[in-house]
Amino acid sequence: MSSDLSVILPRVLIVSRRSVRKNKFVDFVGEYHLDLIVGYGAVPVIVPRVTGVHMLLESFEPIHGVLLCEGEDIDPSLYGSEASGLSPEELEEIRRLHASDTSLDREKDSIELRLAKLCLERNIPYLGICRGSQVLNVACGGTLYQDIEKEVSSKCPKSQRVMHINYDDYDGHRHEVKVVENTPLHQWFKESLEEGEVGEMKIRVNSYHHQGVQRLAQRFVPMAFAPDGLIEGFYDPDAYNPEEGKFIMGLQFHPERMRKPDSDDFDYPGCPFAYKEFVKAAIAYQKKLNAATPIEKPLKLNKEMEDKRKIIVRSFSIAKNLYDAGRGMHPSNDSELKAGAEFLESNTALSEQQEKRLKQMGATVRNGGSYIERLKMNEEREKMARKVMAKMSVEQLSELLSFYHTMGQICSEVLDKNIHGLVNDPS
C-alpha cells in the first residue's frame, strides 16, 4: 500500500478566516475542526483566504468534502438586503455592537459560495458550521436576518427571547433548541434529549452569531429551532446518506466547541457525530469518485525517451512563445526547432485543427517578420474584445477567465499525452 496518505485519505477543503496580528494578516482555522477531521480519517486541506483564490479552486482537486465554518457576515447584497427593513441608524448600531463580524470579507464570500455551489452541483459532501450554514442557505437562494436581536428577538414575547451571542461568556454561553424528530440531529443526540412540557425534545447548544437563517432555501428541512423560532440546523433529506457519500447540512451552533469547562469532554456524546458522519460521507464519495474515474498510472520513460520528449517540448515552447508574443525564448541553433518540425511531419495523431495550429507556429518561426504583420492585423480584434469585456460584470469576467484557464489545462494535458504516445510508439 502506498505510504502517501494524501492519496489514500479523502481531502476535505476548509477555508481559512483572516485576522490581523502585529499589523499583518494571519489566516487560521480552529483546531477543533482540524482535530475532528483528522481523527475520523480525512485530510484537511486549508484554502487560504487570499485574493484571487476563488479563481484557482480547480487546483485543489480532487475535492471529497467541504467544511465551511466561522467568519464575518456575508455581504447582504448576495441575498437581497433590502428586505430587512432596518433603518440606517439601526444598521450603524449593529456595526458598532458587532464590529468584529460586520466588516465584510467579499473575497471569502466569493471563495465559499463557489465551493458551496460546486458541492451542490457534484453532490460533494458539505458541512456548514455557523457562517458555513448561512453560506449554504444563501447559495441555494435562501435569505438571512441581518441582525437577530432587532429582527427576531425584539418582536418575541420575553419568555421566548434568546441571547444568541454573549461576549462576556463566549464559550460558556448556552441556550435551548428544540430538535425535530426523525432528522440526523435527533438521531445523534437521542440519548441526551430532554423532553419538554409538550413532548418537545431539547438540548442546550452554544451560540456565537448575530445573524441567522430568515427564509430557508426550498431544498432544506429544519432540524432544530431556538425558542424565538430561529432555525438552528437544517439538511437536505435527498442528499443525506453518509454510507453512499451523501451529506449536505448546516448547523448554526458549534458542536465541536460544546465542551465542559476546562475539559475536552463534550457536553453530549452526540456532539462530534456531525463530523463523524461527514467524514464517513467523504470517504464513501472518494470511493465512488475513484471507481468512476480510475487513476491512470503516469507513463515511465527511460532516459533516452525522456530526453527526446524534453527536446520536443522545448521546440514547441519556443514556437509557441514566438507565435503568441513575437518574443521570448529564442533557439540557440536550428536543431532546437528541428525536433518539433520532424514531429509535425510524422505526426498523424492530432486533429486537423490542432495540426494547422502547430504548423502556423512553425511557419511563424521560419518567418518572424510576417508574424509581426499578423500581430498588427489582430490589434483591432483585441481592441474590440477589450471593449466587450469592459462591459462585463466581475462575476462574468471571473467565469470567463476560469473557463479559458480550464481549457488551457486540458489542451496542455492532451498535447503532452500525444507527445508521450508518439515518443513511445516503436513504429
Side-chain angles (χ1 to χ4, degrees), residues 176-374:
E176 281 189 347
V177 296
K178 180 182 72 174
V179 176
V180 179
E181 290 190 75
N182 301 319
T183 62
L185 204 63
H186 179 263
Q187 180 183 353
W188 301 338
F189 287 91
K190 60 184 176 182
E191 295 180 3
S192 307
L193 291 168
E194 300 174 3
E195 189 168 344
E197 296 178 359
V198 290
E200 297 173 342
M201 308 304 288
K202 300 179 178 180
I203 56 173
R204 295 183 64 80
V205 302
N206 55 9
S207 201
Y208 313 119
H209 60 106
H210 80 101
Q211 297 194 327
V213 171
Q214 181 181 43
R215 186 185 74 247
L216 187 64
Q218 189 172 0
R219 67 184 292 166
F220 298 124
V221 170
M223 295 194 296
F225 293 92
D228 57 12
L230 190 76
I231 295 172
E232 293 278 345
F234 58 88
Y235 79 118
D236 183 346
D238 295 326
Y240 183 82
N241 190 329
E243 288 78 10
E244 294 185 5
K246 298 178 180 179
F247 192 104
I248 302 290
M249 180 178 296
L251 297 176
Q252 183 60 72
F253 57 96
H254 286 257
E256 82 284 355
R257 296 184 65 89
M258 288 171 60
R259 315 265 178 151
K260 296 176 181 177
D262 302 317
S263 171
D264 280 337
D265 294 336
F266 288 103
D267 289 359
Y268 306 104
C271 287
F273 274 47
Y275 291 81
K276 181 180 180 181
E277 297 302 293
F278 168 66
V279 173
K280 182 189 293 183
I283 292 171
Y285 182 84
Q286 181 195 35
K287 289 179 180 177
K288 286 169 60 175
L289 197 64
N290 289 345
T293 55
I295 300 173
E296 296 182 8
K297 292 183 178 180
L299 293 172
K300 291 186 178 180
L301 306 179
N302 59 32
K303 187 177 184 306
E304 181 183 359
M305 292 296 101
E306 177 61 19
D307 288 344
K308 288 183 178 180
R309 186 190 71 81
K310 289 180 178 178
I311 290 170
I312 292 173
V313 170
R314 175 166 172 74
S315 178
F316 281 115
S317 294
I318 294 169
K320 180 181 182 298
N321 272 276
L322 288 170
Y323 184 79
D324 287 343
R327 52 186 172 78
M329 292 189 301
H330 294 282
S332 56
N333 54 62
D334 291 342
S335 64
E336 288 190 311
L337 294 172
K338 187 176 180 182
E342 290 176 350
F343 173 78
L344 285 175
E345 292 298 325
S346 61
N347 173 45
T348 56
L350 299 179
S351 69
E352 218 174 284
Q353 186 177 5
Q354 289 171 322
E355 187 172 348
K356 181 180 179 181
R357 171 73 171 174
L358 290 173
K359 285 182 177 178
Q360 285 174 333
M361 290 183 184
T364 300
V365 172
R366 291 191 297 271
N367 189 356
S370 64
Y371 172 65
I372 297 301
E373 292 299 318
R374 187 170 181 176

Side-chain angles (χ1 to χ4, degrees), residues 16-29 49 72 100 103 105 108:
S16 66
R17 182 177 186 179
R18 170 170 282 190
S19 66
V20 178
R21 183 183 179 190
K22 296 180 180 179
N23 298 320
K24 296 290 187 296
F25 287 123
V26 176
D27 280 21
F28 69 94
V29 174
R49 182 262 168 252
E72 294 79 6
S100 62
S103 55
D105 188 340
K108 185 175 174 71

